[in-house]
Every structure is written in C-alpha cells, then in structure tokens.
Amino acid sequence: MRALDGKVALVTGASRGIGAAIAAEFAAAGARVAASARTVSPGTSRLPGTLEDTVAGIRAKGGTAEIVQADLAVPSDRERLVEQVRERLGEIDILVNNAAVTYFTPVSEFAARRYALMFEVQVTAPTHLAQLVIPGMRERGRGWILNISSVAARHPTLPPGPFARLGGTVYGMCKAALERLTTGLAAELYADGIAVNSLAPTQVVPTPGTLFHRLTSEDDPNAEPPEVMAAAALALCQAPPSELSGRIAYSQELLAELGLPR
C-alpha cells in the first residue's frame, strides 16, 4: 500500500507553487485530493498556475483529484468548501492550510483593508477550516492538519536585513500567529489522535508568488525546489500523530532528521 491510500486530503492554495506540489505528492502517495484555490482557469489571475493545471497533472499520472474552488476570505465559502469535499471525496483525513494573500508594505503605510484580508486568509481561515474538519477527525480517531509557514515568523534581528526593509512585518506576524495556532491545537487535539504541525521551507522556494515579489529568481542557486516542501509535508501527514505533532518544522531539517532524501 502507498502511504496515503484510502485517505482524503484537502489542500488550499493548490493552483500553483508549494500547494500544487503538495497536492501532486499526496495524490502520488494514494490520497484522493481536493485541490482548492480561487484560480480555476487561465486568465483569472496575474500569476501563472491554475487548479485545472494541478488536477490535470495529477490525473495524467493516474491520481485522483477534484477541483473545489473557494475564496477563503469568505466564511460561507470555507463552509461550502468542506461540504463539497465531503460530498465528492468523503470525510477529510488531511487538511493542508497553504493559501495566502500577501502584501509587502511597511507597517506605517499598510492599508487597513489589506491588513484585514491577510489576517483573514492566513490566520482566520486556517482556524475556521480546522474547526470544520475536527469533528470528523475526532469521530474516526485520526487526522492530520498541516499549516504552511515561513521563516518570516522568526523575530528579526538588528540591524535589519532586506526582508524587513521590504515590508514583511505583517506577513511575518500572520505566520507567527499561525505557528502559535499550530502548537495550541496540537496540545488540544493530542488525545484525539489528530496531528497538527507547521512546515516552512528552509530556503525561499521560487514560486509564482515569490518571483512576483522578487524574493528570489528562477536561477537562484540557493533556492529550494517546491518538491522538497512536498516531501516534508508527506512525511508529516503520514506519521502517527502520537509520534509527530506540535512541530514547527523546516523542510530540509525535517527530512534530514527523518533520514529522507532532500
């Protein structure tokens, strides 16, 4: 049997980048994958990558995947998302909170509506989605929740580096909140057999988003392929919850710890 045979995985932000790579990795491991994002078809986003691309790639390799479009800034969309995944694929065993809306602007210039949107998508939505899937996980006595984070969650040092000067404070704040949610939920759900972990790339991954914000480049020798994050995500979402939960993990360090290829 493959590692995720018989399991249903919901991956948000799966139209491109890390989310698309995780969706493909989980499908290859046997999961029935619900790929969710706002961008279903070409021409609806300024960034390349769509849910149609992700799901077509999975199906071409014999995997099972469904498109479930949702705007995670809208609470009713989050509820509909979980309902539709259950209707199409079954009860959700794995939730990967990867979706993000990101603006890089100094705090002194940050617009209130952008601040609210970032917090809604990166912190409130993962909390709400967890609330929606926890009852089913509890009933079955198993489950995995994975929150995708960033090294930006770490406190900056002084004098500041280029990321701070770029205006990454609100982004880092959202990711720090997500990590605290992770450890708190892990403690609350440990007795229920539900693992909750966060995972960040060790190095910047050249995704459409990071390329757009000029955080890296396609030829950056220090960049991390999205497949590294996907492999680390699979490791966290197949391990027994009693053995691997409450971790604030980094991709390459986790794979090295587990003796897996990087």
Side-chain angles (χ1 to χ4, degrees), residues 16-249:
R16 59 183 66 93
I18 291 171
I22 291 174
E25 183 83 5
F26 283 17
R32 302 191 300 278
V33 175
S36 185
R38 291 178 298 169
T39 306
V40 175
S41 306
T44 56
S45 173
R46 61 185 176 182
L47 299 178
T50 69
L51 290 176
E52 290 179 347
D53 295 334
T54 300
V55 168
I58 289 172
R59 291 176 176 172
K61 294 181 179 179
T64 300
E66 292 283 338
I67 293 172
V68 189
Q69 190 274 345
D71 181 350
L72 295 189
V74 180
S76 61
D77 254 29
R78 302 193 291 254
E79 294 170 354
R80 177 186 54 78
L81 168 62
V82 171
E83 290 173 2
Q84 290 188 351
V85 174
R86 286 172 174 156
E87 291 171 359
R88 297 184 192 180
L89 296 173
E91 286 291 342
I92 298 166
D93 300 288
I94 301 168
L95 168 64
V96 179
N97 289 307
N98 170 70
V101 173
T102 303
Y103 302 99
F104 288 101
T105 307
V107 170
S108 59
E109 303 167 17
F110 220 99
R113 61 180 180 81
R114 288 187 168 185
Y115 178 97
L117 178 60
M118 279 185 65
F119 200 86
E120 185 73 24
V121 174
Q122 297 196 39
V123 183
T124 304
T127 304
H128 189 194
L129 290 174
Q131 290 173 325
L132 293 170
V133 303
I134 285 169
M137 291 179 176
R138 274 186 170 142
E139 184 177 338
R140 295 187 307 283
R142 70 177 190 190
W144 293 262
I145 298 173
L146 179 61
N147 298 318
I148 302 304
S149 188
S150 166
V151 295
R154 296 171 174 169
H155 291 265
T157 57
L158 297 178
F163 185 77
R165 294 193 295 272
L166 179 65
T169 297
V170 174
Y171 177 71
M173 180 200 72
C174 289
K175 292 303 185 182
L178 189 63
E179 291 186 356
R180 182 59 180 86
L181 170 67
T182 296
T183 55
L185 262 184
E188 290 182 12
L189 300 176
Y190 182 79
D192 297 302
I194 301 172
V196 188
N197 293 289
S198 84
L199 177 65
T202 298
Q203 297 169 292
V204 178
V205 178
T207 66
T210 58
L211 292 172
F212 175 81
H213 289 294
R214 299 180 181 178
L215 300 178
T216 186
S217 62
E218 292 181 347
D219 58 354
D220 183 354
N222 296 315
E224 178 177 302
E227 291 75 18
V228 175
M229 276 290 286
L234 178 60
L236 287 170
C237 292
Q238 67 174 325
S242 61
E243 298 177 11
L244 200 54
S245 187
R247 297 287 296 271
I248 306 299

